[in-house]
Amino acid sequence: MNAFWNQYQQNQVNQATPEQILIMLYDGALRNTVQAIQALANADRVRKAESISKAIHIVTTLSDTLDHQIGGEIAENLDALYNFIIRELTNGNLKNDPAPLRTVEDLLRDLRQTWSEAIEIRNRELAEKRQKAAAPEPARRLTAQAQI
């Protein structure tokens, strides 16, 4: 069953748009952060450390994929925020303190929501542009009708 699930997940990633992959990464970081908080509450230090390690890896990936030339100030701010998140995850791990992990959870939820909204707005704008491009302009309509 695990092999089938892994294959399914791999197919999901392979067929996903860059925007969907971004949301998947946020989902993974969030899921692992929540698991770390739960593991800490259950005194399961191994699971806590594994979950935090996975969350750090995902956030590092998000940071590494920033394009500072295109993103400019926004990319710089995201990079600083990702570095803060990594520090908080590390602090939560070293100090066995759920407070920094909850801060990370809140930040990741906010970032995921913001990106989801931005993607939705962009998709709507693209759909409107396609719709306008597909619809003939009034002058084209008149010319087309005159040729009939």
Side-chain angles (χ1 to χ4, degrees):
M1 175 80 172
N2 206 15
F4 293 115
W5 178 249
N6 290 339
Q7 184 62 47
Y8 170 78
Q9 287 180 317
Q10 187 62 44
N11 288 339
Q12 291 295 102
V13 171
N14 289 339
Q15 296 173 5
T17 64
E19 294 86 358
Q20 290 169 326
I21 291 172
L22 177 68
I23 298 303
M24 286 178 193
L25 288 169
Y26 278 114
D27 287 343
L30 260 167
R31 182 177 53 255
N32 282 289
T33 301
V34 169
Q35 287 174 354
I37 293 168
Q38 292 169 345
L40 193 56
N42 295 330
D44 186 347
R45 291 181 185 224
V46 172
R47 185 167 168 243
K48 174 207 67 165
E50 289 172 350
S51 296
I52 289 174
S53 178
K54 289 176 184 178
I56 288 173
H57 178 74
I58 293 168
V59 175
T60 300
T61 300
L62 288 166
S63 179
D64 289 347
T65 58
L66 290 172
D67 188 331
H68 291 271
Q69 287 182 336
I70 294 173
E73 186 179 346
I74 293 172
E76 286 179 34
N77 292 339
L78 277 171
D79 195 32
L81 189 54
Y82 292 150
N83 285 322
F84 173 77
I85 288 171
I86 291 168
R87 283 192 308 275
E88 289 296 281
L89 287 166
T90 302
N91 285 336
N93 191 29
L94 294 175
K95 296 177 182 176
N96 290 313
D97 183 2
L101 301 179
R102 287 192 190 98
T103 299
V104 167
E105 179 186 5
D106 291 342
L107 288 170
L108 290 171
R109 283 192 195 286
D110 289 346
L111 285 166
R112 185 199 185 283
Q113 180 64 34
T114 300
W115 278 112
S116 291
E117 290 171 6
I119 291 165
E120 188 176 313
I121 290 168
R122 180 178 172 269
N123 288 343
R124 246 184 284 139
E125 289 173 353
L126 289 174
E128 288 172 8
K129 282 184 182 179
R130 281 192 294 268
Q131 188 177 15
K132 285 179 183 177
E137 295 178 26
R140 278 197 234 159
R141 277 191 222 137
L142 291 175
T143 305
Q145 288 174 353
Q147 292 177 351
I148 297 178

